[in-house]
Amino acid sequence: MLKSSHIHDNTMMGIDILHKASATVEDCNIHSNTGFGVAFQGEGTTAALKSSHIHDNKMQGVLIVSKASATVEHCDIHSNTGSGVVVSGVGTTAVLKSNHIHENKELGVVIVDNANVTVEYSEGTYTEIGLLVGLLVGIAGLLVRVF
């Protein structure tokens, strides 16, 4: 568990959890990284990102790809140069619950390439499109529930 940490100004990602790792990141301030704020990558990777502030990263705030499984809840995700949250790939699963995703330079939430995502009780104010689902690759096999 990584808790109550301040992670910033790295030349790559703030946090990268990959290769079947299991982790919880809680109550962290993750910002001003050259790459992604937080990335969850690879089959067998399971992670939770809770009550954290992810902002001002040069790419996406949160990236979930390549069959990773992650829960992102009670986070404030904003002012990233890329999108707030990107979930992509067959076998990739995510639950986005009670987040405030706002003012990212690209999109609020991007769900593509047959990812399986549940969005619950999240709110956002976006510059262009709040939620992009399957537009880049198609929606075959895509499961999205917005409550």
Side-chain angles (χ1 to χ4, degrees), residues 41-141:
Q41 304 181 67
E43 188 171 8
T45 299
T46 57
L49 178 60
K50 301 178 179 182
S51 303
S52 293
H53 188 193
I54 299 97
H55 61 99
D56 295 296
N57 296 288
K58 299 297 180 205
M59 295 178 79
Q60 280 74 19
V62 178
L63 177 72
I64 306 166
V65 295
S66 304
K67 299 184 180 180
S69 178
T71 299
V72 180
E73 60 183 326
H74 303 288
C75 291
D76 187 15
I77 303 168
H78 68 90
S79 305
N80 297 289
T81 301
S83 297
V85 178
V86 174
V87 186
S88 177
V90 174
T92 302
T93 61
V95 175
L96 309 178
K97 185 175 181 180
S98 301
N99 297 295
H100 187 201
I101 304 167
H102 58 105
E103 300 174 43
N104 295 286
K105 298 261 186 327
E106 290 183 1
L107 306 170
V109 177
V110 177
I111 303 167
V112 293
D113 196 17
N114 298 309
N116 182 335
V117 180
T118 300
V119 180
E120 298 179 10
Y121 311 110
S122 293
E123 66 174 277
T125 53
Y126 311 104
T127 54
E128 292 181 23
I129 301 171
L131 177 65
L132 175 66
V133 179
L135 185 60
L136 301 177
V137 179
I139 59 172

